[in-house]
Amino acid sequence: MGKYSPQELAKTLGSGLLSFPITHFDAAHALDLKAYAANLEWLSQYPVTGLFAAGGTGEFFSLTPAEVSKVVATAVQHVDGATPLIAPAGYGTAIATELARDAEANGADGILLFPPYLTECDSEGLVDHAIKVCQSTSLGVIIYSRANAKFDADMVARVADRCPNFIGYKDGIGDIDRMVRVSNRMGDRLTYVGGLPTAETFAQPYLEMGVTTYSSAIFNFLPEWALQFYKAVRERDHAFVQAELRDFVLPYTLIRNRRAGYAVSIVKAGMTAIGRSAGPVRSPLKDLSSEELEMLKQLIGNRK
């Protein structure tokens, strides 16, 4: 088991900004753990309340289970308990439970459960899937509600009734009605995490629904700015938030929206833009074009 109990983990994660580091590859698209560890060393100087290794921004979907294990083990070794370390689980139930058990063996503190891969599933199947993953580990589990795994309030309550270590609900849908119903039904039983692409866009309205934290992909290449923006959101500094949305976040999303999958690709491009290249993205994603990279560099400007 990790250094944080499920309840300690839930409380800690909800109190600050969350880091979702990219995963480094070399020019041949091979995993580069040395560069990954060096990047974690750089990011460690900035205070966050949770580090999610090999998450969506970390290209979980393009890693083999063995690679996920290596990334998580490297992150655990580097963090050494100073920050809660959350590992991914996903695909079918058999692989997801295996990944959860492996993460616990590697010393992770929690699990982020991604949607099942490439299959349609009804509510009964999704609830059963989530329960089995929760019961496969003593670690705290956060369900990522998005794509083909959209958990509503009833489904969330059924998992919570069976699984004391189910501690968090991450929203990647943007359905306000669903989010209100979940948070109203579950109250402080769960920690709520904003998980939409470029979560800063939604941070201010989501805070009013009790979503006190979010996954910041921008933190990868603009950590000081990301922390300043989060602080302004929590302090309800509407003038600062609106100005930064207008001048940076919304123009950033226009580049992101140019191609499917750019929500990840643009983060790696951001690393290149600040002189800390993390290598290319793996297929089926595509890297930004040279023109788009220049647009991003200009947008980042003096925010470095």
Side-chain angles (χ1 to χ4, degrees):
M1 185 173 177
K3 296 185 178 181
Y4 297 79
S5 71
Q7 291 70 33
E8 291 170 338
L9 180 63
K11 184 177 180 180
T12 300
L13 293 179
S15 66
L17 189 66
L18 305 178
S19 170
F20 279 64
I22 44 78
T23 301
H24 290 61
F25 303 128
D26 64 21
H29 297 87
L31 190 62
D32 189 345
L33 291 176
K34 184 177 180 180
Y36 178 73
N39 189 57
L40 292 183
E41 180 68 31
W42 174 62
L43 288 177
S44 68
Q45 65 186 297
Y46 301 101
V48 292
T49 58
L51 189 154
F52 288 66
T57 304
E59 296 181 72
F60 166 66
F61 45 82
S62 76
L63 300 172
T64 67
E67 287 177 325
V68 170
S69 182
K70 290 177 182 178
V71 171
V72 171
T74 299
V76 168
Q77 183 179 23
H78 174 82
V79 172
D80 194 27
T83 303
L85 194 289
I86 316 302
Y91 304 105
T93 306
I95 295 177
T97 53
E98 181 179 296
L99 286 169
R101 288 190 292 266
D102 185 66
E104 184 165 3
N106 275 327
D109 298 295
I111 302 295
L112 177 62
L113 179 58
F114 283 83
Y117 172 70
L118 198 62
T119 185
E120 293 75 29
C121 17
D122 69 5
S123 61
E124 292 288 338
L126 285 170
V127 168
D128 183 59
H129 173 71
I131 289 172
K132 286 179 176 176
V133 172
C134 288
Q135 293 179 342
S136 73
T137 178
S138 65
L139 301 180
V141 177
I142 300 165
I143 288 177
Y144 197 176
S145 179
R146 65 175 294 177
N148 61 332
K150 297 177 180 177
F151 283 75
D152 62 25
D154 289 338
M155 295 163 67
V156 169
R158 285 157 61 195
V159 178
D161 285 344
R162 296 278 301 277
C163 304
N165 63 328
F166 168 38
I167 62 164
Y169 180 88
K170 182 178 181 183
D171 175 54
I173 305 170
D175 182 337
I176 293 176
D177 179 81
R178 183 188 300 262
M179 189 67 234
V180 168
R181 291 179 187 278
V182 170
S183 61
N184 182 267
R185 176 82 170 267
M186 302 307 301
D188 59 8
R189 167 65 177 80
L190 298 176
T191 290
Y192 304 98
V193 180
L196 288 155
T198 316
E200 282 84 359
T201 310
F202 309 90
Q204 200 169 51
Y206 264 44
L207 179 63
E208 303 307 321
M209 294 187 288
V211 183
T212 60
T213 186
Y214 55 84
S215 55
S216 176
I218 293 175
F219 177 80
N220 277 282
F221 57 91
L222 288 177
E224 292 180 354
W225 178 91
L227 287 164
Q228 184 182 17
F229 188 90
Y230 175 79
K231 181 174 182 288
V233 168
R234 291 299 300 268
E235 294 179 350
R236 291 175 169 80
D237 184 348
H238 299 295
F240 178 87
V241 170
Q242 291 302 314
E244 290 302 307
L245 286 173
R246 180 190 65 238
D247 297 337
F248 177 64
V249 177
L250 295 180
Y252 172 90
T253 65
L254 292 179
I255 302 173
R256 181 203 70 193
N257 292 342
R258 285 183 160 214
R259 190 192 290 260
Y262 264 13
V264 174
S265 305
I266 196 172
V267 181
K268 280 203 163 173
M271 298 293 289
T272 300
I274 66 166
R276 302 186 63 89
S277 176
V281 294
R282 279 182 175 174
S283 61
L285 299 184
K286 298 291 291 182
D287 287 301
L288 269 63
S289 68
S290 56
E291 176 190 2
E292 290 164 339
L293 177 58
E294 287 303 313
M295 293 170 61
L296 181 60
K297 286 180 178 179
Q298 291 180 26
L299 186 59
I300 291 173
N302 61 7
R303 286 181 170 82
K304 289 188 288 185

